[in-house]
Amino acid sequence: VFYDEDRLNKLLAYANRKGIPLVVIVAPDELREGKVTVRQMVTGHQDAIPVENVPDHLLAMLSPKP
């Protein structure tokens, strides 16, 4: 896995332009710990989530709030 901060910034800007609400960032250090980062594009908030919890976390974040 090759981590390039400039490329990541370009990809995040692209996601923003396309209106993508969430992105999953797989960084080498976090992946070794069994985690990925889930970033909310509107707020910029991000959380490190265990890989096995990513599907449930994404579903919860994308579900309409009452």
Side-chain angles (χ1 to χ4, degrees):
V1 176
F2 179 71
Y3 178 75
D4 180 356
E5 190 169 335
D6 287 336
R7 179 147 166 79
L8 176 61
N9 289 335
K10 288 178 183 177
L11 290 170
L12 291 174
Y14 174 81
N16 241 353
R17 284 192 309 275
K18 293 295 183 179
I20 297 170
L22 300 170
V23 295
V24 178
I25 302 168
V26 182
D29 293 340
E30 290 174 332
L31 192 56
R32 278 192 286 278
E33 296 172 7
K35 296 181 179 182
V36 297
T37 297
V38 176
R39 180 182 176 118
Q40 296 177 21
M41 295 304 293
V42 172
T43 65
H45 178 79
Q46 52 189 48
D47 292 306
I49 306 294
V51 171
E52 63 272 8
N53 295 346
V54 171
D56 291 334
H57 187 77
L58 293 177
L59 285 173
M61 305 261 325
L62 293 171
S63 296
K65 308 293 186 258

